[in-house]
Amino acid sequence: MQPDSTRTEELPIYESLIRERGDVVEEARVVAEETQHQMSLALSGAAATPQETGAP
């Protein structure tokens, strides 16, 4: 193994799965960050109420 190799270079099966199925780990990270941001807004009282967003 070369010192400058990346983790994905070491895992050809993982690369293959990402090509076939998409990067589920990255998608989950993005959704988790969005959820954390929304919850931070909600807890600080800055989140829109359902009436403000047009939700029933």
Side-chain angles (χ1 to χ4, degrees):
M1 179 171 67
Q2 298 174 353
D4 62 347
S5 65
T6 63
R7 179 105 172 113
T8 56
E9 289 174 352
E10 300 169 23
L11 303 170
I13 294 171
Y14 184 70
E15 287 180 358
S16 171
L17 287 171
I18 288 175
R19 282 192 301 272
E20 291 175 19
R21 306 285 180 154
D23 193 345
V24 176
V25 174
E26 173 65 16
E27 292 172 18
R29 184 191 62 77
V30 169
V31 171
E33 288 176 354
E34 290 172 357
T35 302
Q36 184 178 15
H37 178 69
Q38 291 172 355
M39 291 302 103
S40 293
L41 290 175
L43 291 173
S44 70
T49 61
Q51 295 81 20
E52 293 173 357
T53 61

